Amino acid sequence: MPKISAAGLEALDKLIAETLSAGKLPGFALAVSNLDEQLYAKGAGNKTYGDPTSAQVTDESVFWICSMTKLLAAIAALQLIERGELTFDTPVSKIFPEFATPIIVKEDKTYEPAKETITILHLLTHTSGINYGFGVGALHILPEAYRHVYDAVNPHEQFFALLKGEYPEIPLVFEPGASFAYGFSSDVLGFVVEKVTGQTLEAYSRKNIFDPLGVKATYHLTAELKEKLVDLTFRNADGSIANWENRAAVIQRHPDPVYANFGGIGSYSTLPDYVTILRHLMQIEAGRDVSTPILKKETVKSLFEPKLNDAGSQAINFMAFFLVQNSAHYRNLNWSTGLAVSTNDWEGRRKTGSAFWSGWAGSWYFMDPKTGISLAFASQIVPTIDQVTFEIADKAEEIIYANLE
């Protein structure tokens, strides 16, 4: 099993030190693993940007991992499919009647009834037609359904009402299964898990994913974890960094009560804990005899298999080109039952069949089953797809693959 050479570890240390000294990022961290063990984990900077008296960011610091949550929600739903409590073909309307009569909204805002039924597979693959809303605003402002202050009285119903917005039914951008649209599918999937199990997504995930793997990932911050949470920051148009200063609402979190557990954006984790989950999945995929496997081998393999049709593939690649224009690697992408997959080798980096995604507030991860390497990198900075976080994560990957032995 490959490890990072001494020269590679030194190069990673240098990258982190140079990034910190240049002031390119607020507090950040990196964690790397092979199939056997964690190979590297280090943080840098301060919990609060510009405050040298605040806690140092370490490998034990907590990050809001945002859309890296989508993999966790997919794992929960895939477990229910393995147990026979759901199937890929289960209509979402069977669990939530609000999805019985969705509508297809056209560019002129007219609409017509959808002909196809939204299924669990559509939610897993983001082919449901549910996007992040019509006319989404600035990249540092979350959609209203995330910013809303939920109460304890049926948060699912409140969420679906926000999805409807000005329309009489749940609006879709295409017929279910016709293409790919990145959006609230994972959140709906998480609510399905809650409805089917009678538990919150936090309680279910704690019992069936987090505790069996010995990780402290969570949808609910505690006072202790909040103390370790790296503060959110903002990158100005000139590239400078500023403190967040509540410039826009985020999801509900401690000390406020959390009534809506978002499977698309709602979890928090240290990077070593998240990489522990990735390593566990890759051990299962590799046929390792692991204790307390959270999924079966054939299910894990589906996380690395493209599921989109041609239209869906074109859609995800268009989105990737728009968001990461300065990289030749984020091309020829597809989506599996939980995350994006690469359909070709990236020269000097991850191999065909690697799976990956990122998070709204500056986090990135990937799993490469051919080499056994997994990586997670995070800061806490928006607008989303911050190019500096992307460049540092990309450079770290380049160093790792150049120094495997």
Side-chain angles (χ1 to χ4, degrees):
M1 186 51 55
K3 293 189 175 184
I4 305 171
S5 68
L9 296 174
E10 182 179 346
L12 289 175
D13 284 343
K14 183 179 179 181
L15 174 66
I16 287 176
E18 289 178 347
T19 302
L20 180 64
S21 64
K24 293 180 178 180
L25 282 177
F28 63 95
L30 170 69
V32 187
S33 179
N34 64 14
L35 279 182
D36 296 324
E37 60 186 347
Q38 180 174 283
L39 300 178
Y40 187 88
K42 184 168 287 189
N46 293 94
K47 176 183 182 294
T48 301
Y49 179 74
D51 181 2
T53 67
S54 65
Q56 292 288 307
V57 176
T58 71
D59 59 352
E60 291 303 308
S61 294
V62 174
F63 291 85
W64 178 25
I65 59 173
C66 298
S67 286
M68 289 167 62
T69 306
K70 289 177 169 64
L71 174 62
L72 306 180
I75 291 170
L78 290 169
Q79 288 178 333
L80 297 186
I81 290 172
E82 286 187 346
R83 296 170 191 164
E85 297 179 59
L86 291 171
T87 72
F88 286 120
D89 296 326
T90 299
V92 177
S93 59
K94 183 177 180 181
I95 293 95
F96 290 114
E98 290 90 341
F99 289 85
T101 54
I103 54 175
I104 310 298
V105 177
K106 303 175 183 179
E107 290 186 6
D108 62 2
K109 290 195 172 184
T110 60
Y111 52 85
E112 61 187 19
K115 299 180 180 66
E116 300 297 327
T117 299
I118 301 174
T119 67
I120 298 301
L121 180 61
H122 292 145
L123 297 179
L124 286 164
T125 58
H126 287 269
T127 58
S128 66
I130 304 168
N131 69 357
Y132 268 137
F134 296 85
V136 174
L139 290 177
H140 73 281
I141 298 177
L142 291 170
E144 183 183 0
Y146 287 151
R147 292 181 281 118
H148 182 73
V149 178
Y150 292 86
D151 58 42
V153 181
N154 202 338
H156 299 158
E157 186 176 291
Q158 297 172 50
F159 182 86
F160 299 147
L162 290 168
L163 287 197
K164 288 182 181 180
E166 62 185 292
Y167 297 102
E169 302 292 346
I170 299 290
L172 310 178
V173 292
F174 51 70
E175 286 286 349
S179 187
F180 172 90
Y182 193 60
F184 292 112
S185 287
S186 295
D187 302 291
V188 177
L189 189 67
F191 295 151
V192 167
V193 171
E194 293 187 324
K195 191 74 170 180
V196 169
T197 64
Q199 304 174 61
T200 65
L201 191 56
E202 163 70 15
Y204 176 85
S205 300
R206 170 69 47 210
K207 180 179 179 181
N208 295 277
I209 302 172
F210 304 151
D211 283 352
L213 299 184
V215 302
K216 294 182 180 179
T218 184
Y219 289 85
H220 292 182
L221 287 174
T222 61
E224 178 185 3
L225 291 175
K226 183 73 180 295
E227 283 299 310
K228 296 180 179 181
L229 180 68
V230 180
D231 294 340
L232 199 59
T233 61
F234 183 83
R235 190 177 299 281
N236 296 308
D238 63 2
S240 61
I241 302 169
N243 290 312
W244 185 245
E245 297 175 340
N246 295 320
R247 65 184 65 222
V250 295
I251 63 174
Q252 288 174 284
R253 60 169 59 163
H254 180 85
D256 296 325
V258 176
Y259 297 114
N261 292 252
F262 295 123
I265 198 173
S267 67
Y268 307 84
S269 182
T270 68
L271 296 195
D273 275 355
Y274 196 83
V275 165
T276 294
I277 298 171
L278 301 183
R279 180 171 60 247
H280 179 79
L281 292 173
M282 290 215 298
Q283 287 173 338
I284 295 172
E285 192 277 340
R288 294 283 188 93
D289 184 14
V290 299
S291 60
T292 61
I294 60 174
L295 289 171
K296 298 176 181 178
K297 182 178 179 179
E298 56 267 29
T299 303
V300 172
K301 282 190 172 295
S302 76
L303 292 171
F304 299 91
E305 297 171 350
K307 299 296 183 183
L308 301 181
N309 60 17
D310 288 344
S313 178
Q314 291 175 13
I316 191 174
N317 281 286
F318 177 81
M319 183 180 76
F321 178 77
F322 172 75
L323 295 174
V324 193
Q325 295 185 20
N326 62 344
S327 173
H329 297 301
Y330 286 79
R331 308 291 182 264
N332 301 314
L333 307 181
N334 209 287
W335 195 272
S336 70
T337 53
L339 64 169
V341 291
S342 305
T343 61
N344 62 292
D345 288 351
W346 294 13
E347 185 177 355
R349 292 173 173 79
R350 68 192 77 165
K351 306 302 181 185
T352 302
S354 294
F356 67 96
W357 203 235
S358 62
W360 179 78
S363 57
W364 304 80
Y365 76 96
F366 73 84
M367 298 180 281
D368 179 355
K370 288 191 176 178
T371 61
I373 296 295
S374 57
L375 173 151
F377 177 84
S379 187
Q380 297 281 251
I381 188 166
V382 293
T384 191
I385 312 296
D386 179 71
Q387 290 302 299
V388 178
T389 62
F390 164 73
E391 289 165 7
I392 302 304
D394 190 60
K395 182 62 177 177
E397 181 179 352
E398 179 184 2
I399 290 170
I400 292 163
Y401 277 80
N403 290 277
L404 292 177
E405 60 179 18

